[in-house]
């Protein structure tokens, strides 16, 4: 095929036409061809360089399970301490470290990575594609998660783990009240891990919107995809406030910038707002993927279709929206106005409605079907019993007078565990037992799994139901000793005994999975006779998932009916005849074929980049700040190499995905996956900026601390500096619309001018950041703008380099669209920041 561009008309025809069936081929030949191209490298090096979604998804889940076991061991130590009123098992310092690490591990190192792993492993299989949109980003996310988790665990082993609670409330976590590096381990370690979460959110969003099987409209997606789409959007919007808060608190601890210090205009409540802007959506971030898994499993177990597909989708969207209006119900006791109390109380009650819609849809599905009590169904019934109770206590806590009484008692601890274990762990156990045949290719050994379920159920309710009573009797949470009140002592001892029963149950569950992996018999394909694409492949699933990709004609047929046609190459894009990893990219709404993406192969670059970021984090922990700044140089160099790996190269001829349907490769597409990914990332970036602006507004309007000194934002020199920055960035954004090497070089110069003006302004005109919280936050906003200007300059230089290499022409835009989008975003946020700061100064 000649190296010619596909015209817009040809591409539009390809998008709207029904894809023809490819001629059948030998299934074994296609399997071997694809297996060779998509295989991981051999040995230990293959584990380091793997970028396959199947490998990395399983690795995420296995690592999260290990962290779950560690968090469980810590919980046993907590319960051993609380078994008696004057427990001498742990001293106060070690106890505080253990309960902080228990919560942090379960939230940040188990729940979030587990759902990421399930989404990464499962989504391509459900959507009818071969991999996630950005395999190297998946690998980078895993290594950041692993290194961040190991930093936190190592700190625990050396006795310097975080000790201020998994919520790190200020001023308890400030340098004055928490000296040493304990709090820094949490702030830097969790932020490091959150790189993984943002990466996964970008991956999942783009994969769902751009890689569905041809003809799979949004209204035809499996419900799990809807749930994961909602989850990824919440992660993009929910995690940046925590990142912002962590950065501010680390800057306060390291450089004495008083964001949360009342005496210098700060406010501890700013931390609580930023934390719970993340913390409450996180509950639904954890719940939604688990609910998605149940929406896939329940219809199969009941031999029917899901009841109320549209109502469930609406409920998911409602939860996504409402979850960001509830964060203040964690702060009912801090003295907020009564009107705000009423609003957030009503919103907290209202969120029960979309949750109830889903629960009744699942119950209705079981009612109309023929439920079969396989092991996954046991865990789903455990979910109903446990999560509904947790939801009811959540409604109780949404009522302000009751919340005032129960706040910071063991009642809240019980509610939290009923929601998280009931709403996440039980569904994840159902998902594990349901998809294990696809993971291992083996059937399980019956008996042990059912016993494990009953032991877990009894142990859990014995542990945490009693804690509701303990809390109602007034026992506070987060204490290592308590008064010798008879009504507290026997309840705590009972909870502690049942906690060990719960641990035995989880150990039995793990043993059941291990026995299936090692001793299970060979499993046939599609053992559940499911209707979804995830079972229309061999077991265990290969790295490439499908020998040919499903099309519209395959979507409404049971998996058992389409396994053979897809294996013989009758779907789209059969085999790997060009010896490269290819997948089909479709349009976001109607899933019309758009172009063919060529994915990178195995590489150690994600490991190298995450190791470089890890070096920066460790130097920051050690207080070696100058060296930490220099450690960013290899990070920048590796990012440049990362971009070079995306540069147009090799055969860029159009690809025939089906008879008569020819599509361009992604280098010549109208909107590639990379462009979609950048737009998605900018959503998170914009939320981070909004979080900083929220901080400025909060300190200006709400905080009652000392008034900030008159700033230099009104003098002529400051206005001139701001004007230079504004003009340079507006000009750079305009220049970025031109597709030439000279435009890119001019962009480098203009960004340089803006950066020099910003540095001069910060150094000579801005007030000392240590003087007042307002000035410290302005300095952070200036740093945010400066970092984006530096990045924009680097992107412009990269585009100029691509022009010099001849990698950009009229049909091949290279990195130019990415630079244009980033440059426009940088100019917009910088101008908005200037307007807000000037308005604040004039007010």
């Amino acid at each position: 095929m000649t190296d010619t561009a596909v015209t817009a008309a040809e591409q539009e025809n390809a998008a709207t036409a029904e894809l023809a069936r490819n001629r059948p081929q030998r299934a074994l030949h296609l399997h071997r061809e694809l297996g060779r191209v998509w295989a991981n490298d051999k040995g230990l090096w293959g584990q380091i360089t793997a970028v396959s979604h199947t490998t990395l998804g399983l690795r995420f889940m296995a690592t999260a399970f290990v962290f779950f076991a560690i968090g469980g061991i810590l919980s046993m130590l907590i319960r051993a301490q609380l078994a008696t009123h004057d427990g001498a098992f742990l001293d106060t310092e070690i106890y505080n470290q253990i309960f902080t690490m228990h919560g942090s591990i379960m939230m940040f190192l188990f729940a979030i990575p587990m759902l990421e792993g399930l989404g990464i492993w499962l989504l391509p299989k459900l959507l009818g594609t071969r991999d996630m949109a950005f395999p190297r980003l998946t690998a980078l996310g895993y290594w950041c998660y692993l290194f961040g988790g190991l930093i936190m665990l190592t700190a625990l082993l050396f006795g310097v783990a975080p000790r201020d609670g998994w919520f790190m409330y200020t001023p308890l976590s400030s340098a004055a009240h928490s000296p040493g590096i304990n709090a820094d381990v949490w702030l830097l370690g969790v932020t490091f891990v959150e790189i993984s979460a943002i990466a996964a959110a970008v991956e999942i969003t783009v994969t769902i919107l751009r890689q569905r099987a041809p003809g799979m409209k949004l209204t035809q997606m499996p419900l799990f995809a809807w749930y994961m789409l909602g989850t990824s959007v919440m992660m993009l919007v929910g995690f940046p406030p925590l990142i912002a808060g962590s950065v501010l608190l680390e800057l306060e601890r390291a450089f004495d910038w008083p964001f949360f210090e009342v005496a210098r205009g700060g406010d501890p409540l700013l931390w609580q707002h930023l934390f719970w802007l993340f913390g409450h959506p996180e509950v639904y971030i954890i719940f939604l993927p688990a609910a998605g898994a149940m929406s896939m499993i329940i219809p199969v177990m009941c031999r029917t279709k899901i009841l109320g597909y549209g109502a469930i989708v609406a409920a998911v969207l409602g939860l996504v929206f409402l979850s960001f209006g509830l964060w203040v119900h964690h702060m009912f006791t801090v003295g907020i106005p009564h009107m705000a109390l009423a609003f957030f109380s009503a919103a907290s009650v209202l969120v029960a409605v979309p949750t109830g819609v889903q629960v009744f849809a699942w119950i209705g599905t079981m009612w109309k079907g023929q439920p079969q009590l396989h092991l996954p169904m046991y865990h789903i019934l455990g979910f109903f019993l446990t999560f509904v109770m947790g939801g009811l206590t959540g409604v109780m806590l949404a009522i302000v007078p009751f919340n005032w009484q129960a706040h910071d008692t063991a009642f809240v601890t019980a509610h939290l565990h009923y929601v998280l274990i009931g709403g996440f762990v039980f569904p994840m156990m159902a998902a594990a037992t349901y998809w294990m045949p696809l993971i291992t290719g083996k059937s399980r050994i019956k008996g042990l799994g059912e016993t494990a379920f009953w032991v877990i159920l009894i142990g859990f309710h014995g542990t945490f139901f009693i804690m509701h009573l303990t809390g109602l009797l007034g026992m506070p949470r987060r204490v290592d000793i308590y008064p010798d009140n008879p009504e507290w002592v026997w309840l705590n001892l009972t909870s502690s005994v049942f906690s060990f029963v719960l641990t035995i149950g989880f150990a039995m569950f793990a043993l059941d999975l291990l026995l299936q992996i090692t001793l299970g018999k060979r499993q046939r394909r599609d053992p559940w006779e499911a209707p979804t694409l995830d079972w229309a492949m061999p077991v265990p699933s290969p790295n490439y998932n499908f020998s040919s990709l499903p099309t519209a004609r395959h979507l409404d047929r049971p998996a058992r009916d389409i396994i053979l046609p897809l294996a013989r190459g009758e779907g789209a894009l059969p085999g790997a005849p060009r010896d490269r990893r290819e997948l089909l990219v479709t349009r976001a709404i109607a899933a019309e074929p758009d172009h063919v993406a060529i994915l990178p192969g195995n590489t150690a670059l994600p490991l190298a980049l995450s190791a470089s970021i890890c070096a920066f984090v460790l130097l920051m922990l050690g207080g070696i700040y100058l060296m930490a700044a220099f450690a960013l140089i290899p990070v920048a160099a590796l990012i440049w190499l990362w971009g070079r790996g995306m540069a147009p190269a090799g055969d860029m001829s159009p690809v025939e995905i089906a008879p008569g349907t020819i599509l361009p490769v992604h280098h010549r597409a109208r909107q590639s996956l990379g462009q979609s990914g950048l737009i998605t990332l900018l959503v998170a970036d914009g939320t981070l900026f909004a979080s900083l602006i929220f901080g400025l507004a909060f300190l200006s309007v709400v905080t009652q601390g000392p008034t900030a000194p008159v700033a230099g934002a009104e003098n002529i020199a400051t206005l001139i500096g701001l004007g230079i920055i504004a003009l340079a960035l507006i000009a750079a954004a305009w220049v970025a619309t031109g597709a030439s090497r000279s435009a890119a070089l001019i962009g480098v110069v203009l960004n340089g001018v803006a950066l020099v003006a910003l540095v001069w302004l910060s150094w000579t005109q801005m007030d000392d950041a240590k003087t007042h919280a307002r000035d410290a936050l302005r300095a952070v906003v200036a740093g945010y703008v400066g970092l984006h200007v530096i990045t924009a300059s680097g992107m412009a230089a990269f585009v100029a380099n691509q022009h010099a290499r001849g990698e950009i022409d009229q049909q091949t835009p290279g990195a130019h669209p990415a630079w244009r989008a980033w440059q426009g975003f940088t100019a917009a946020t910088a101008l908005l920041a200037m307007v807000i700061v000037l308005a604040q100064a004039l007010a």
Side-chain angles (χ1 to χ4, degrees), residues 739-776:
S740 67
R741 184 166 183 258
S742 59
L745 291 173
I746 293 172
V748 174
V749 173
L750 289 170
N751 281 295
V753 170
L755 184 62
V756 169
L758 181 62
V759 171
W760 172 81
L761 199 64
S762 303
W763 192 262
T764 64
Q765 301 300 309
M766 292 180 64
D767 293 322
D768 185 358
K770 296 181 180 180
T771 304
H772 195 275
R774 181 210 63 186
D775 300 315

Side-chain angles (χ1 to χ4, degrees), residues 297-419:
I297 298 170
I298 289 174
V300 176
M301 294 294 106
C302 297
R303 317 314 303 168
T304 187
K305 290 184 177 182
I306 191 74
L307 179 67
Y309 177 99
I312 293 176
V313 171
V316 171
L317 298 178
L319 273 178
V320 171
F321 176 77
L322 289 172
S323 67
F324 289 100
L326 311 178
W327 82 93
V328 176
H329 81 210
H330 295 274
M331 303 167 59
F332 279 169
T333 60
V334 303
I336 60 177
H338 286 185
M339 182 64 73
L341 287 175
F343 172 83
F344 287 103
S345 176
S348 301
V349 173
L350 183 62
V351 80
V353 175
T355 306
V357 168
Q358 296 168 79
V359 171
F360 281 111
W362 295 326
I363 293 174
T365 301
M366 292 189 289
W367 182 268
K368 78 167 186 173
Q370 299 175 339
Q372 299 176 347
L373 206 56
H374 298 295
L375 183 56
M377 201 64 186
Y378 279 80
H379 293 294
I380 287 173
L381 295 176
F383 155 82
F384 280 112
L385 174 63
T386 307
F387 180 76
V388 171
M389 293 176 65
L392 292 174
T393 56
V395 173
M396 294 168 66
L397 288 169
I399 307 304
V400 176
F402 181 84
N403 187 288
W404 284 345
Q405 301 302 314
H407 186 77
D408 267 352
T409 69
F411 186 94
V412 178
T413 307
H415 159 71
L416 176 69
H417 284 82
Y418 264 79
V419 170

Side-chain angles (χ1 to χ4, degrees), residues 290 293-303 366 371-384 425-437 444 446 449-450 453 509 512-513 516 523 527-528 535:
M294 289 195 302
S295 295
M296 302 300 298
I297 298 170
I298 289 174
V300 176
M301 294 294 106
C302 297
R303 317 314 303 168
M366 292 189 289
Q372 299 176 347
L373 206 56
H374 298 295
L375 183 56
M377 201 64 186
Y378 279 80
H379 293 294
I380 287 173
L381 295 176
F383 155 82
F384 280 112
V425 176
F426 274 109
M428 284 296 102
M429 291 190 292
T433 53
Y434 178 76
W435 277 295
M436 274 298 284
R444 73 179 192 89
K446 296 183 179 180
E450 289 81 359
F453 164 77
F509 177 80
D512 182 48
L513 297 184
Q516 181 172 353
Q523 180 66 272
W528 304 113
W535 293 102

Side-chain angles (χ1 to χ4, degrees), residues 70 102 202 297 304 310 323 352 370 451 490 576 581 630 728 808 815 825:
I70 294 171
H102 166 71
V202 172
I297 298 170
T304 187
S323 67
Q370 299 175 339
T451 304
W490 77 269
R581 301 184 181 189
F630 281 108
I808 295 180
F825 177 85

Side-chain angles (χ1 to χ4, degrees), residues 29-109:
H29 166 73
L30 291 176
H31 170 71
R32 288 174 176 172
E33 182 179 76
L34 285 159
R36 173 175 49 80
V37 171
W38 289 82
N40 299 335
D41 295 332
K42 295 181 179 179
L44 178 61
W45 182 250
Q47 294 303 309
I48 292 173
T49 61
V51 294
S52 163
H53 83 99
T54 296
T55 301
L56 292 170
L58 293 177
R59 193 181 294 173
F60 261 106
M61 290 189 283
T63 307
F65 191 84
V66 171
F67 280 118
F68 177 70
I70 294 171
I73 292 171
L74 297 181
S75 71
M76 293 171 66
L77 299 178
I78 294 171
R79 288 313 318 172
Q81 173 72 12
L82 295 177
T84 58
H85 71 93
D86 58 350
F89 186 66
L90 302 169
D91 64 36
T92 300
E93 172 68 16
I94 297 300
Y95 178 85
N96 287 342
Q97 291 188 27
I98 286 175
F99 96 78
T100 298
M101 283 297 294
H102 166 71
S104 300
I105 287 173
M106 291 305 193
M107 286 292 188
F108 299 107
L109 303 181

